[in-house]
Structures are given as structure tokens and as C-alpha cells.
Amino acid sequence: MSGTKKSEYEGFTAEERAAMKEHAAEQKKAARKGSAAEKAAEAERDVLAKIADMKDDDRVMAERVHAVVTESAPQLAPKLWYGMPAYALNGKVVCFFQSAAKFKARYATLGFNDAARLDDGAMWPTAFALTKITPEVEEQIAALVKQAVG
């Protein structure tokens, strides 16, 4: 079969592999012994440290997203998920922030997993591009997060 086109797919990118390694480390850390309160406090410290390590625009947006999410839905627990800030309810990630730099993307992302109650008919958005956090965007995020937790 000479002349057949070789696939361009070479496997996971370096960024994807790094995210998977971070997730494995997060799972291992979560399995360690300790009280729920200690684990929750450590998880929040980890999220804040990860946000602090982000590059300028991503860091500013992640700080605002963190503030809006924790204010709008205090029942969500901050945690790292694939190396990114995420917010979980009963152990299931509801929403997450993905920096643009993480996967060399054009924009940061606010995403929602299937635990989020955003259902609206037969199709609805679960990820939103973020290029800047304005007061209007903060209001939209707050409304989405409140809807997501029901």
C-alpha cells in the first residue's frame, strides 16, 4: 500500500502528558490519610498556589474566577484537577478554569463537567472562552455556577 497517507497523530502532546501526570499526583495526594478539614485546607492552598504560578493574564482571570465561584457557590470545594483550579461538589468536579498557557491556547476556558446542572433542552454549552474578566463576565460566571449547583 505505498502511497497511503501517514497519519499525523503522534499521541498525546507534552502538555497533555504533563496534565495526566499532574492528575495522577493529585489522586495519590488525595488518597493520603488525614482529616477531611485538613485535606480541604490543603486543596485550597494548592489551588491558590497554582493560580499564583500562572502567567499575568491567566493569573488575573483565575483569581477572579476563584473569587466569583467561591462566593457564588460556597458549597463547592476548590481542588486541583489535571493541574488546574477546579471546584467540586461531593467529590465530583462541577467546574474548572483552564489557563491559556496550559495548552498553548488562544484563550483561557471556564468549563463545566456533567455534574453541573446546566441542562437546557437537547444541547447546551459546557465550556466558555475567557479573554478578559469584566463585571458583566463576573455576573455571567456567578449565574452559571449557581445554576450548575442547582
Side-chain angles (χ1 to χ4, degrees):
M1 290 192 124
S2 65
T4 58
K5 186 176 178 181
K6 183 180 177 194
S7 172
E8 297 289 325
Y9 181 72
E10 296 291 330
F12 294 108
T13 66
E15 294 81 14
E16 290 168 332
R17 286 191 302 277
M20 288 185 279
K21 286 179 183 177
E22 285 181 286
H23 185 61
E26 293 158 11
Q27 296 294 92
K28 189 174 183 179
K29 189 175 189 178
R32 290 185 190 145
K33 291 185 180 183
S35 73
E38 290 170 338
K39 286 182 178 184
E42 184 177 18
E44 181 153 19
R45 282 192 304 270
D46 290 346
V47 166
L48 294 173
K50 183 60 77 170
I51 290 171
D53 286 344
M54 291 180 185
K55 296 199 184 324
D56 301 327
D57 290 342
D58 285 340
R59 186 186 67 253
V60 169
M61 287 190 288
E63 288 171 346
R64 291 308 311 142
V65 167
H66 179 77
V68 170
V69 170
T70 55
E71 184 178 301
S72 301
Q75 66 270 49
L76 292 178
K79 66 183 278 179
L80 289 179
W81 188 62
Y82 291 95
M84 287 287 107
Y87 305 87
L89 183 63
N90 300 322
K92 294 187 180 224
V93 172
V94 173
C95 61
F96 60 90
F97 176 85
Q98 181 178 294
S99 71
K102 178 79 174 179
F103 294 104
K104 299 177 184 169
R106 187 166 61 99
Y107 48 78
T109 304
L110 174 65
F112 292 86
N113 284 343
D114 61 342
R117 297 180 182 161
L118 298 178
D119 304 37
D120 184 20
M123 185 173 99
W124 57 89
T126 59
F128 299 85
L130 294 172
T131 58
K132 186 174 164 184
I133 303 285
T134 64
E136 294 81 18
V137 170
E138 287 185 7
E139 286 178 23
Q140 289 176 295
I141 292 169
L144 283 167
V145 169
K146 287 175 184 175
Q147 180 182 351
V149 296

